Amino acid sequence: MKELEQIILERGTILPGDILKIDSFLNHQIDVKVLDMIGEEFYKIFKDSNPDKIMTIEASGIAIATAASRYFGSIPVLFAKKTYALNMSANTYQSHEHSYTRDIDYNVQVSKDYLHEGERILILDDFLANGEAMNSMIDICNQAGAIIVGCGSVVGKSYQPGIQRIKDMGYHVECLASVKSMSDDSIEFE
Amino acid sequence: MKELEQIILERGTILPGDILKIDSFLNHQIDVKVLDMIGEEFYKIFKDSNPDKIMTIEASGIAIATAASRYFGSIPVLFAKKTYALNMSANTYQSHEHSYTRDIDYNVQVSKDYLHEGERILILDDFLANGEAMNSMIDICNQAGAIIVGCGSVVGKSYQPGIQRIKDMGYHVECLASVKSMSDDSIEFE
């Protein structure tokens, strides 16, 4: 998606440790016009997969998934939680995720009340690099017997193993902007 | 807002420890139609306050703030972060919050890149009970010299001190549904 690549080039920054920071328009401050463009693009890609629900993971994923939902007729969004909270049912599907940007391990949880066998799930997230977050959501869908109809990420890093790993599992994976390589001051897209 | 009160009565649950769980439509699974109704209602209440930006706090607040933003002409959303992340600038405004539902203390952070002196900020969140989260956002706005044009919460608990405390500071506070009292099996609204 050329328009998004241009926005990343103009408004993203590269930090030491191979981190692409896009918190000027998505991960901290959110440009809602860009967000809706992202949501619409996911709809164009996955509209024929007929999802019943969009799954994502807190925090930034929530903006992306709710934006996309409107194009799919406002289907429900389900966001996986990263920590145990008192207001969460003990009745949960759980998986583990290592966060690269925070360098800690999360226990990813989804209530069994909101994910069911046979439900058609579109998984959306902001970044797909090592694929930890996406993998944990796939794991949870599989535990529930839900049908994963697609996996979409706003940004993918094709030089890291996440995208290929999820393709190898047989899922339809799409990244709106795929970073082929990144140096201290430049980004090359696929 | 009668429609929201009805949804809370029908789809919310009360947990021990005075916790109102609305994760069937807002805090875990999100009903995007209800979300947009919430966003539109905040617009009706605060439209004359002319905000430049909406501030909220992760995670559920992100859905609420981005939904509201569209009614305000897609003004930027800025979500405060609750933990230190490697992809966050060290150049931040910080405040503390005690989370009642998780029983832990957070360091709430907002990058100085995205909050400026004189900016008109509308603060939105999901719950306003003790007011910890709202207070930390007010504190951060004040550190930045930003102008708080209003504070909105989807649910307020008027029998807890948060709402009154923020009113006493002189801010315009509105809760779409104000819980007057709650027992094990009933909710009474203002």
Side-chain angles (χ1 to χ4, degrees):
Chain A
M1 193 189 180
K2 284 287 162 212
E3 207 172 340
L4 181 63
E5 291 174 6
Q6 198 55 41
I7 291 167
I8 292 169
L9 290 173
E10 283 167 12
R11 295 158 69 178
T13 50
I14 299 166
L15 294 188
D18 195 49
I19 291 170
L20 173 58
K21 192 168 101 159
I22 55 171
D23 69 357
S24 62
F25 65 92
L26 192 66
N27 289 136
H28 184 22
Q29 182 169 253
I30 300 173
D31 182 326
V32 178
K33 287 192 184 80
V34 173
L35 184 67
D36 286 342
M37 186 184 76
I38 287 167
E40 187 175 13
E41 190 68 15
F42 279 132
Y43 173 70
K44 287 178 185 166
I45 293 169
F46 292 110
K47 64 179 188 300
D48 295 329
S49 68
N50 295 315
D52 297 315
K53 200 172 272 187
I54 299 174
M55 183 187 280
T56 190
I57 188 162
E58 58 182 0
S60 303
I62 297 171
I64 297 159
T66 52
S69 159
R70 289 184 186 86
Y71 294 94
F72 286 94
S74 297
I75 55 174
V77 165
L78 179 60
F79 67 89
K81 302 204 173 189
K82 283 181 181 170
T83 50
Y84 185 77
L86 294 183
N87 61 353
M88 180 136 198
S89 165
N91 186 36
T92 59
Y93 298 109
Q94 301 189 18
S95 187
H96 282 86
E97 180 206 343
H98 178 77
S99 168
Y100 182 72
T101 45
R102 291 173 195 243
D103 195 25
I104 54 172
D105 289 308
Y106 289 108
N107 199 19
V108 176
Q109 297 190 59
V110 166
S111 168
K112 292 184 182 178
D113 293 340
Y114 308 124
L115 185 63
H116 304 108
E117 194 177 337
E119 270 188 321
R120 298 176 65 82
I121 304 296
L122 172 61
I123 299 176
L124 298 179
D125 204 6
D126 53 351
F127 273 91
L128 177 48
N130 285 308
E132 288 278 341
M134 195 69 86
N135 268 321
S136 67
M137 289 189 276
I138 290 171
D139 180 20
I140 282 171
C141 284
N142 287 333
Q143 289 177 43
I147 300 159
I148 297 163
V149 302
C151 299
S153 180
V154 176
V155 181
K157 288 180 175 173
S158 58
Y159 58 95
Q160 286 187 244
I163 297 173
Q164 193 57 47
R165 212 178 273 164
I166 293 164
K167 279 185 181 167
D168 290 345
M169 292 184 217
Y171 299 116
H172 176 200
V173 188
E174 296 277 355
C175 300
L176 303 189
S178 281
V179 179
K180 191 158 87 179
S181 67
M182 224 167 71
S183 66
D184 286 354
D185 56 1
S186 72
I187 304 171
E188 202 185 342
F189 293 99
E190 291 283 349
Chain B
M1 193 191 180
K2 285 286 163 210
E3 206 172 340
L4 181 63
E5 291 175 5
Q6 197 56 40
I7 290 167
I8 292 169
L9 290 174
E10 283 168 11
R11 295 158 69 177
T13 51
I14 300 165
L15 294 188
D18 196 48
I19 292 170
L20 173 58
K21 193 168 100 159
I22 55 170
D23 71 356
S24 63
F25 65 91
L26 192 66
N27 289 135
H28 184 22
Q29 182 169 253
I30 300 173
D31 182 325
V32 178
K33 288 192 184 82
V34 173
L35 183 68
D36 286 342
M37 185 184 78
I38 287 167
E40 187 175 13
E41 189 68 17
F42 279 132
Y43 174 69
K44 287 178 186 167
I45 293 169
F46 293 110
K47 64 181 188 299
D48 295 330
S49 68
N50 296 316
D52 297 315
K53 200 171 275 188
I54 299 174
M55 182 187 281
T56 189
I57 189 162
E58 58 182 358
S60 302
I62 297 171
I64 297 159
T66 53
S69 160
R70 290 185 186 85
Y71 294 94
F72 286 95
S74 297
I75 56 175
V77 166
L78 180 59
F79 67 89
K81 302 205 174 190
K82 285 182 180 170
T83 50
Y84 185 76
L86 294 181
N87 60 355
M88 181 136 197
S89 164
N91 186 36
T92 59
Y93 298 109
Q94 301 189 19
S95 188
H96 283 86
E97 180 206 343
H98 177 77
S99 168
Y100 182 72
T101 45
R102 291 174 194 242
D103 195 25
I104 55 173
D105 289 310
Y106 289 109
N107 199 18
V108 176
Q109 295 191 58
V110 166
S111 168
K112 292 184 181 177
D113 292 340
Y114 308 124
L115 184 64
H116 305 107
E117 193 176 338
E119 270 187 320
R120 298 176 64 81
I121 304 295
L122 172 61
I123 300 176
L124 298 180
D125 203 6
D126 54 351
F127 274 91
L128 177 47
N130 285 307
E132 287 278 342
M134 194 70 86
N135 268 322
S136 67
M137 289 189 277
I138 290 170
D139 180 21
I140 282 172
C141 284
N142 286 334
Q143 289 177 42
I147 300 158
I148 297 163
V149 301
C151 300
S153 180
V154 177
V155 181
K157 288 180 176 173
S158 58
Y159 59 94
Q160 286 186 241
I163 297 173
Q164 192 57 47
R165 212 179 272 164
I166 293 164
K167 278 184 182 168
D168 290 345
M169 292 184 219
Y171 297 117
H172 176 198
V173 187
E174 295 277 356
C175 300
L176 304 189
S178 281
V179 178
K180 193 159 85 180
S181 67
M182 223 166 72
S183 64
D184 287 355
D185 56 1
S186 73
I187 304 170
E188 203 185 343
F189 294 99
E190 290 284 348

